PDB file of all heavy atoms in Angstrom:
ATOM      1  N   LYS G  64      -8.498  18.968 -15.285  1.00 97.00           N
ATOM      2  CA  LYS G  64      -7.492  19.338 -16.204  1.00 97.00           C
ATOM      3  C   LYS G  64      -8.117  20.296 -17.217  1.00 97.00           C
ATOM      4  O   LYS G  64      -7.441  20.606 -18.211  1.00 97.00           O
ATOM      5  CB  LYS G  64      -6.964  18.131 -16.884  1.00 97.00           C
ATOM      6  CG  LYS G  64      -5.804  17.380 -16.113  1.00 97.00           C
ATOM      7  CD  LYS G  64      -4.852  16.664 -17.015  1.00 97.00           C
ATOM      8  CE  LYS G  64      -3.406  16.761 -16.549  1.00 97.00           C
ATOM      9  NZ  LYS G  64      -2.505  16.381 -17.599  1.00 97.00           N
ATOM     10  N   GLY G  65      -9.319  20.674 -17.020  1.00 98.00           N
ATOM     11  CA  GLY G  65     -10.061  21.541 -17.945  1.00 98.00           C
ATOM     12  C   GLY G  65     -10.296  20.910 -19.316  1.00 98.00           C
ATOM     13  O   GLY G  65     -10.352  21.644 -20.327  1.00 98.00           O
ATOM     14  N   LEU G  66     -10.541  19.691 -19.359  1.00 98.00           N
ATOM     15  CA  LEU G  66     -10.735  18.903 -20.589  1.00 98.00           C
ATOM     16  C   LEU G  66     -12.193  18.417 -20.772  1.00 98.00           C
ATOM     17  O   LEU G  66     -12.800  18.125 -19.764  1.00 98.00           O
ATOM     18  CB  LEU G  66      -9.888  17.599 -20.684  1.00 98.00           C
ATOM     19  CG  LEU G  66      -8.364  17.796 -20.745  1.00 98.00           C
ATOM     20  CD1 LEU G  66      -7.736  16.465 -20.528  1.00 98.00           C
ATOM     21  CD2 LEU G  66      -8.007  18.318 -22.122  1.00 98.00           C
ATOM     22  N   THR G  67     -12.622  18.422 -21.983  1.00 98.00           N
ATOM     23  CA  THR G  67     -13.927  17.734 -22.309  1.00 98.00           C
ATOM     24  C   THR G  67     -13.627  16.781 -23.390  1.00 98.00           C
ATOM     25  O   THR G  67     -12.560  16.829 -24.019  1.00 98.00           O
ATOM     26  CB  THR G  67     -15.064  18.827 -22.728  1.00 98.00           C
ATOM     27  OG1 THR G  67     -14.651  19.170 -24.048  1.00 98.00           O
ATOM     28  CG2 THR G  67     -15.175  19.953 -21.806  1.00 98.00           C
ATOM     29  N   PRO G  68     -14.525  15.809 -23.696  1.00 98.00           N
ATOM     30  CA  PRO G  68     -14.344  14.874 -24.773  1.00 98.00           C
ATOM     31  C   PRO G  68     -13.963  15.505 -26.023  1.00 98.00           C
ATOM     32  O   PRO G  68     -13.248  14.953 -26.852  1.00 98.00           O
ATOM     33  CB  PRO G  68     -15.660  14.001 -24.885  1.00 98.00           C
ATOM     34  CG  PRO G  68     -16.165  14.044 -23.470  1.00 98.00           C
ATOM     35  CD  PRO G  68     -15.877  15.469 -23.027  1.00 98.00           C
ATOM     36  N   ASP G  69     -14.539  16.760 -26.335  1.00 98.00           N
ATOM     37  CA  ASP G  69     -14.197  17.432 -27.587  1.00 98.00           C
ATOM     38  C   ASP G  69     -12.677  17.759 -27.763  1.00 98.00           C
ATOM     39  O   ASP G  69     -12.254  17.944 -28.891  1.00 98.00           O
ATOM     40  CB  ASP G  69     -15.003  18.752 -27.701  1.00 98.00           C
ATOM     41  CG  ASP G  69     -16.423  18.465 -27.922  1.00 98.00           C
ATOM     42  OD1 ASP G  69     -16.767  17.378 -28.277  1.00 98.00           O
ATOM     43  OD2 ASP G  69     -17.302  19.438 -27.546  1.00 98.00           O
ATOM     44  N   ASP G  70     -11.990  17.806 -26.688  1.00 98.00           N
ATOM     45  CA  ASP G  70     -10.535  18.110 -26.768  1.00 98.00           C
ATOM     46  C   ASP G  70      -9.774  16.911 -27.310  1.00 98.00           C
ATOM     47  O   ASP G  70      -8.538  16.995 -27.658  1.00 98.00           O
ATOM     48  CB  ASP G  70      -9.952  18.514 -25.377  1.00 98.00           C
ATOM     49  CG  ASP G  70     -10.536  19.738 -24.917  1.00 98.00           C
ATOM     50  OD1 ASP G  70     -10.455  20.806 -25.714  1.00 98.00           O
ATOM     51  OD2 ASP G  70     -11.104  19.751 -23.880  1.00 98.00           O
ATOM     52  N   ILE G  71     -10.398  15.712 -27.280  1.00 98.00           N
ATOM     53  CA  ILE G  71      -9.684  14.474 -27.761  1.00 98.00           C
ATOM     54  C   ILE G  71     -10.171  14.084 -29.094  1.00 98.00           C
ATOM     55  O   ILE G  71     -11.244  13.487 -29.269  1.00 98.00           O
ATOM     56  CB  ILE G  71      -9.851  13.365 -26.720  1.00 98.00           C
ATOM     57  CG1 ILE G  71      -9.522  13.800 -25.287  1.00 98.00           C
ATOM     58  CG2 ILE G  71      -9.014  12.112 -27.090  1.00 98.00           C
ATOM     59  CD1 ILE G  71      -8.141  14.431 -25.114  1.00 98.00           C
ATOM     60  N   LYS G  72      -9.391  14.460 -30.195  1.00 98.00           N
ATOM     61  CA  LYS G  72      -9.841  14.193 -31.477  1.00 98.00           C
ATOM     62  C   LYS G  72      -9.098  13.018 -32.126  1.00 98.00           C
ATOM     63  O   LYS G  72      -9.459  12.499 -33.278  1.00 98.00           O
ATOM     64  CB  LYS G  72      -9.542  15.444 -32.371  1.00 98.00           C
ATOM     65  CG  LYS G  72     -10.311  16.686 -31.833  1.00 98.00           C
ATOM     66  CD  LYS G  72     -10.589  17.636 -32.948  1.00 98.00           C
ATOM     67  CE  LYS G  72     -11.679  18.613 -32.539  1.00 98.00           C
ATOM     68  NZ  LYS G  72     -11.663  19.168 -31.289  1.00 98.00           N
ATOM     69  N   GLY G  73      -8.087  12.464 -31.439  1.00 98.00           N
ATOM     70  CA  GLY G  73      -7.410  11.323 -31.931  1.00 98.00           C
ATOM     71  C   GLY G  73      -6.140  11.083 -31.071  1.00 98.00           C
ATOM     72  O   GLY G  73      -5.917  11.745 -30.043  1.00 98.00           O
ATOM     73  N   ILE G  74      -5.361  10.086 -31.477  1.00 98.00           N
ATOM     74  CA  ILE G  74      -4.209   9.703 -30.645  1.00 98.00           C
ATOM     75  C   ILE G  74      -3.251  10.790 -30.330  1.00 98.00           C
ATOM     76  O   ILE G  74      -2.532  10.749 -29.430  1.00 98.00           O
ATOM     77  CB  ILE G  74      -3.462   8.473 -31.097  1.00 98.00           C
ATOM     78  CG1 ILE G  74      -3.077   8.511 -32.546  1.00 98.00           C
ATOM     79  CG2 ILE G  74      -4.343   7.206 -30.907  1.00 98.00           C
ATOM     80  CD1 ILE G  74      -2.217   7.391 -32.964  1.00 98.00           C
ATOM     81  N   GLU G  75      -3.158  11.872 -31.233  1.00 98.00           N
ATOM     82  CA  GLU G  75      -2.219  12.919 -31.006  1.00 98.00           C
ATOM     83  C   GLU G  75      -2.634  13.803 -29.778  1.00 98.00           C
ATOM     84  O   GLU G  75      -1.862  14.521 -29.227  1.00 98.00           O
ATOM     85  CB  GLU G  75      -2.046  13.870 -32.232  1.00 98.00           C
ATOM     86  CG  GLU G  75      -3.280  14.718 -32.606  1.00 98.00           C
ATOM     87  CD  GLU G  75      -4.406  13.907 -33.311  1.00 98.00           C
ATOM     88  OE1 GLU G  75      -4.240  12.675 -33.496  1.00 98.00           O
ATOM     89  OE2 GLU G  75      -5.461  14.567 -33.669  1.00 98.00           O
ATOM     90  N   ASP G  76      -3.901  13.601 -29.373  1.00 98.00           N
ATOM     91  CA  ASP G  76      -4.336  14.311 -28.133  1.00 98.00           C
ATOM     92  C   ASP G  76      -4.196  13.473 -26.826  1.00 98.00           C
ATOM     93  O   ASP G  76      -4.598  13.933 -25.683  1.00 98.00           O
ATOM     94  CB  ASP G  76      -5.803  14.736 -28.263  1.00 98.00           C
ATOM     95  CG  ASP G  76      -5.976  15.758 -29.368  1.00 98.00           C
ATOM     96  OD1 ASP G  76      -5.046  16.656 -29.543  1.00 98.00           O
ATOM     97  OD2 ASP G  76      -6.951  15.668 -30.165  1.00 98.00           O
ATOM     98  N   LEU G  77      -3.916  12.221 -27.011  1.00 98.00           N
ATOM     99  CA  LEU G  77      -3.840  11.318 -25.878  1.00 98.00           C
ATOM    100  C   LEU G  77      -2.992  11.866 -24.683  1.00 98.00           C
ATOM    101  O   LEU G  77      -3.394  11.766 -23.563  1.00 98.00           O
ATOM    102  CB  LEU G  77      -3.179   9.967 -26.272  1.00 98.00           C
ATOM    103  CG  LEU G  77      -3.195   8.868 -25.222  1.00 98.00           C
ATOM    104  CD1 LEU G  77      -4.521   8.426 -24.813  1.00 98.00           C
ATOM    105  CD2 LEU G  77      -2.559   7.598 -25.949  1.00 98.00           C
ATOM    106  N   HIS G  78      -1.785  12.519 -24.907  1.00 98.00           N
ATOM    107  CA  HIS G  78      -1.027  13.007 -23.946  1.00 98.00           C
ATOM    108  C   HIS G  78      -1.644  14.016 -22.994  1.00 98.00           C
ATOM    109  O   HIS G  78      -1.225  14.348 -21.902  1.00 98.00           O
ATOM    110  CB  HIS G  78       0.262  13.595 -24.549  1.00 98.00           C
ATOM    111  CG  HIS G  78       0.067  14.876 -25.264  1.00 98.00           C
ATOM    112  ND1 HIS G  78       0.247  16.161 -24.762  1.00 98.00           N
ATOM    113  CD2 HIS G  78      -0.455  15.069 -26.508  1.00 98.00           C
ATOM    114  CE1 HIS G  78      -0.077  17.054 -25.640  1.00 98.00           C
ATOM    115  NE2 HIS G  78      -0.554  16.395 -26.762  1.00 98.00           N
ATOM    116  N   LYS G  79      -2.823  14.630 -23.436  1.00 98.00           N
ATOM    117  CA  LYS G  79      -3.473  15.652 -22.630  1.00 98.00           C
ATOM    118  C   LYS G  79      -4.168  14.986 -21.437  1.00 98.00           C
ATOM    119  O   LYS G  79      -4.531  15.633 -20.528  1.00 98.00           O
ATOM    120  CB  LYS G  79      -4.498  16.376 -23.528  1.00 98.00           C
ATOM    121  CG  LYS G  79      -3.972  17.155 -24.712  1.00 98.00           C
ATOM    122  CD  LYS G  79      -5.129  17.847 -25.417  1.00 98.00           C
ATOM    123  CE  LYS G  79      -4.623  18.518 -26.708  1.00 98.00           C
ATOM    124  NZ  LYS G  79      -5.732  18.769 -27.581  1.00 98.00           N
ATOM    125  N   LEU G  80      -4.517  13.745 -21.646  1.00 98.00           N
ATOM    126  CA  LEU G  80      -5.403  13.103 -20.589  1.00 98.00           C
ATOM    127  C   LEU G  80      -4.570  12.763 -19.354  1.00 98.00           C
ATOM    128  O   LEU G  80      -3.380  12.336 -19.456  1.00 98.00           O
ATOM    129  CB  LEU G  80      -6.072  11.798 -21.152  1.00 98.00           C
ATOM    130  CG  LEU G  80      -7.066  12.109 -22.328  1.00 98.00           C
ATOM    131  CD1 LEU G  80      -7.363  10.861 -23.173  1.00 98.00           C
ATOM    132  CD2 LEU G  80      -8.387  12.602 -21.645  1.00 98.00           C
ATOM    133  N   PRO G  81      -5.259  12.770 -18.207  1.00 98.00           N
ATOM    134  CA  PRO G  81      -4.575  12.385 -17.009  1.00 98.00           C
ATOM    135  C   PRO G  81      -4.299  10.986 -16.922  1.00 98.00           C
ATOM    136  O   PRO G  81      -4.910  10.131 -17.559  1.00 98.00           O
ATOM    137  CB  PRO G  81      -5.531  12.854 -15.849  1.00 98.00           C
ATOM    138  CG  PRO G  81      -6.863  12.949 -16.516  1.00 98.00           C
ATOM    139  CD  PRO G  81      -6.646  13.127 -17.962  1.00 98.00           C
ATOM    140  N   PHE G  82      -3.193  10.444 -16.130  1.00 98.00           N
ATOM    141  CA  PHE G  82      -2.900   9.117 -15.913  1.00 98.00           C
ATOM    142  C   PHE G  82      -3.826   8.433 -14.956  1.00 98.00           C
ATOM    143  O   PHE G  82      -4.457   9.182 -14.122  1.00 98.00           O
ATOM    144  CB  PHE G  82      -1.481   8.978 -15.395  1.00 98.00           C
ATOM    145  CG  PHE G  82      -0.387   9.406 -16.300  1.00 98.00           C
ATOM    146  CD1 PHE G  82       0.412  10.524 -16.065  1.00 98.00           C
ATOM    147  CD2 PHE G  82      -0.230   8.723 -17.501  1.00 98.00           C
ATOM    148  CE1 PHE G  82       1.412  10.864 -16.961  1.00 98.00           C
ATOM    149  CE2 PHE G  82       0.869   9.064 -18.349  1.00 98.00           C
ATOM    150  CZ  PHE G  82       1.681  10.200 -18.120  1.00 98.00           C
ATOM    151  N   VAL G  83      -3.904   7.245 -14.976  1.00 97.00           N
ATOM    152  CA  VAL G  83      -4.630   6.448 -13.992  1.00 97.00           C
ATOM    153  C   VAL G  83      -3.578   5.489 -13.442  1.00 97.00           C
ATOM    154  O   VAL G  83      -2.802   4.961 -14.098  1.00 97.00           O
ATOM    155  CB  VAL G  83      -5.745   5.538 -14.532  1.00 97.00           C
ATOM    156  CG1 VAL G  83      -6.300   4.636 -13.523  1.00 97.00           C
ATOM    157  CG2 VAL G  83      -6.776   6.480 -15.187  1.00 97.00           C
ATOM    158  N   THR G  84      -3.487   5.348 -12.017  1.00 95.00           N
ATOM    159  CA  THR G  84      -2.536   4.550 -11.324  1.00 95.00           C
ATOM    160  C   THR G  84      -3.224   3.513 -10.617  1.00 95.00           C
ATOM    161  O   THR G  84      -4.361   3.485 -10.383  1.00 95.00           O
ATOM    162  CB  THR G  84      -1.728   5.423 -10.375  1.00 95.00           C
ATOM    163  OG1 THR G  84      -2.634   5.893  -9.398  1.00 95.00           O
ATOM    164  CG2 THR G  84      -0.914   6.596 -11.018  1.00 95.00           C
ATOM    165  N   LYS G  85      -2.434   2.479 -10.057  1.00 91.00           N
ATOM    166  CA  LYS G  85      -2.969   1.438  -9.255  1.00 91.00           C
ATOM    167  C   LYS G  85      -3.656   2.030  -8.033  1.00 91.00           C
ATOM    168  O   LYS G  85      -4.696   1.529  -7.554  1.00 91.00           O
ATOM    169  CB  LYS G  85      -1.901   0.458  -8.839  1.00 91.00           C
ATOM    170  CG  LYS G  85      -2.278  -0.977  -8.851  1.00 91.00           C
ATOM    171  CD  LYS G  85      -1.086  -1.845  -8.390  1.00 91.00           C
ATOM    172  CE  LYS G  85      -1.456  -3.308  -8.467  1.00 91.00           C
ATOM    173  NZ  LYS G  85      -1.292  -3.968  -9.668  1.00 91.00           N
ATOM    174  N   ALA G  86      -3.022   3.106  -7.518  1.00 90.00           N
ATOM    175  CA  ALA G  86      -3.729   3.752  -6.330  1.00 90.00           C
ATOM    176  C   ALA G  86      -5.080   4.275  -6.685  1.00 90.00           C
ATOM    177  O   ALA G  86      -6.060   4.153  -5.816  1.00 90.00           O
ATOM    178  CB  ALA G  86      -2.773   4.906  -5.783  1.00 90.00           C
ATOM    179  N   ASP G  87      -5.312   4.802  -7.906  1.00 94.00           N
ATOM    180  CA  ASP G  87      -6.627   5.246  -8.285  1.00 94.00           C
ATOM    181  C   ASP G  87      -7.581   4.051  -8.345  1.00 94.00           C
ATOM    182  O   ASP G  87      -8.739   4.162  -7.914  1.00 94.00           O
ATOM    183  CB  ASP G  87      -6.650   5.795  -9.716  1.00 94.00           C
ATOM    184  CG  ASP G  87      -5.885   7.179  -9.774  1.00 94.00           C
ATOM    185  OD1 ASP G  87      -6.200   7.985  -8.840  1.00 94.00           O
ATOM    186  OD2 ASP G  87      -5.122   7.428 -10.758  1.00 94.00           O
ATOM    187  N   LEU G  88      -7.098   2.889  -8.805  1.00 93.00           N
ATOM    188  CA  LEU G  88      -7.967   1.802  -8.810  1.00 93.00           C
ATOM    189  C   LEU G  88      -8.334   1.329  -7.398  1.00 93.00           C
ATOM    190  O   LEU G  88      -9.450   0.887  -7.197  1.00 93.00           O
ATOM    191  CB  LEU G  88      -7.269   0.539  -9.602  1.00 93.00           C
ATOM    192  CG  LEU G  88      -6.796   0.750 -10.985  1.00 93.00           C
ATOM    193  CD1 LEU G  88      -6.483  -0.554 -11.639  1.00 93.00           C
ATOM    194  CD2 LEU G  88      -7.773   1.553 -11.815  1.00 93.00           C
ATOM    195  N   ARG G  89      -7.401   1.401  -6.538  1.00 88.00           N
ATOM    196  CA  ARG G  89      -7.712   0.959  -5.130  1.00 88.00           C
ATOM    197  C   ARG G  89      -8.687   1.977  -4.530  1.00 88.00           C
ATOM    198  O   ARG G  89      -9.595   1.548  -3.825  1.00 88.00           O
ATOM    199  CB  ARG G  89      -6.425   0.955  -4.356  1.00 88.00           C
ATOM    200  CG  ARG G  89      -5.964  -0.455  -4.078  1.00 88.00           C
ATOM    201  CD  ARG G  89      -4.702  -0.576  -3.248  1.00 88.00           C
ATOM    202  NE  ARG G  89      -3.491  -0.382  -4.012  1.00 88.00           N
ATOM    203  CZ  ARG G  89      -2.537   0.432  -3.917  1.00 88.00           C
ATOM    204  NH1 ARG G  89      -2.593   1.333  -2.890  1.00 88.00           N
ATOM    205  NH2 ARG G  89      -1.570   0.453  -4.659  1.00 88.00           N
ATOM    206  N   ASP G  90      -8.526   3.300  -4.764  1.00 90.00           N
ATOM    207  CA  ASP G  90      -9.435   4.201  -4.279  1.00 90.00           C
ATOM    208  C   ASP G  90     -10.855   3.969  -4.752  1.00 90.00           C
ATOM    209  O   ASP G  90     -11.821   4.244  -4.119  1.00 90.00           O
ATOM    210  CB  ASP G  90      -9.005   5.627  -4.647  1.00 90.00           C
ATOM    211  CG  ASP G  90      -7.762   6.079  -3.965  1.00 90.00           C
ATOM    212  OD1 ASP G  90      -7.378   5.358  -3.025  1.00 90.00           O
ATOM    213  OD2 ASP G  90      -7.160   7.054  -4.355  1.00 90.00           O
ATOM    214  N   ALA G  91     -10.943   3.588  -6.041  1.00 93.00           N
ATOM    215  CA  ALA G  91     -12.193   3.431  -6.689  1.00 93.00           C
ATOM    216  C   ALA G  91     -12.874   2.115  -6.363  1.00 93.00           C
ATOM    217  O   ALA G  91     -13.933   1.789  -6.826  1.00 93.00           O
ATOM    218  CB  ALA G  91     -12.075   3.569  -8.154  1.00 93.00           C
ATOM    219  N   TYR G  92     -12.166   1.245  -5.603  1.00 92.00           N
ATOM    220  CA  TYR G  92     -12.643  -0.151  -5.300  1.00 92.00           C
ATOM    221  C   TYR G  92     -14.073  -0.112  -4.641  1.00 92.00           C
ATOM    222  O   TYR G  92     -14.190   0.656  -3.674  1.00 92.00           O
ATOM    223  CB  TYR G  92     -11.588  -0.841  -4.334  1.00 92.00           C
ATOM    224  CG  TYR G  92     -11.975  -2.207  -3.880  1.00 92.00           C
ATOM    225  CD1 TYR G  92     -11.705  -3.413  -4.532  1.00 92.00           C
ATOM    226  CD2 TYR G  92     -12.714  -2.350  -2.650  1.00 92.00           C
ATOM    227  CE1 TYR G  92     -12.040  -4.583  -4.069  1.00 92.00           C
ATOM    228  CE2 TYR G  92     -13.071  -3.604  -2.213  1.00 92.00           C
ATOM    229  CZ  TYR G  92     -12.705  -4.711  -2.875  1.00 92.00           C
ATOM    230  OH  TYR G  92     -13.126  -5.918  -2.403  1.00 92.00           O
ATOM    231  N   PRO G  93     -14.948  -0.995  -5.003  1.00 94.00           N
ATOM    232  CA  PRO G  93     -14.895  -1.884  -6.046  1.00 94.00           C
ATOM    233  C   PRO G  93     -15.462  -1.333  -7.337  1.00 94.00           C
ATOM    234  O   PRO G  93     -15.151  -1.807  -8.466  1.00 94.00           O
ATOM    235  CB  PRO G  93     -15.721  -3.129  -5.473  1.00 94.00           C
ATOM    236  CG  PRO G  93     -16.706  -2.471  -4.692  1.00 94.00           C
ATOM    237  CD  PRO G  93     -16.094  -1.252  -4.031  1.00 94.00           C
ATOM    238  N   TYR G  94     -16.468  -0.409  -7.187  1.00 96.00           N
ATOM    239  CA  TYR G  94     -17.319  -0.152  -8.411  1.00 96.00           C
ATOM    240  C   TYR G  94     -16.927   1.202  -9.079  1.00 96.00           C
ATOM    241  O   TYR G  94     -17.540   1.581 -10.105  1.00 96.00           O
ATOM    242  CB  TYR G  94     -18.792  -0.153  -8.105  1.00 96.00           C
ATOM    243  CG  TYR G  94     -19.261  -1.455  -7.536  1.00 96.00           C
ATOM    244  CD1 TYR G  94     -19.969  -1.535  -6.366  1.00 96.00           C
ATOM    245  CD2 TYR G  94     -19.061  -2.583  -8.319  1.00 96.00           C
ATOM    246  CE1 TYR G  94     -20.421  -2.679  -5.931  1.00 96.00           C
ATOM    247  CE2 TYR G  94     -19.513  -3.750  -7.888  1.00 96.00           C
ATOM    248  CZ  TYR G  94     -20.231  -3.866  -6.630  1.00 96.00           C
ATOM    249  OH  TYR G  94     -20.638  -5.047  -6.233  1.00 96.00           O
ATOM    250  N   GLY G  95     -16.033   1.985  -8.476  1.00 96.00           N
ATOM    251  CA  GLY G  95     -15.769   3.274  -8.872  1.00 96.00           C
ATOM    252  C   GLY G  95     -15.362   3.592 -10.321  1.00 96.00           C
ATOM    253  O   GLY G  95     -15.604   4.709 -10.834  1.00 96.00           O
TER     254      GLY G  95
END
Side-chain angles (χ1 to χ4, degrees):
K64 279 205 143 197
L66 293 169
T67 70
D69 287 342
D70 294 307
I71 309 302
K72 301 209 160 45
I74 51 173
E75 70 282 1
D76 296 322
L77 185 59
H78 69 98
K79 297 179 184 165
L80 290 162
F82 292 116
V83 174
T84 62
K85 218 181 185 88
D87 289 319
L88 303 196
R89 254 182 275 128
D90 291 347
Y92 173 90
Y94 299 126

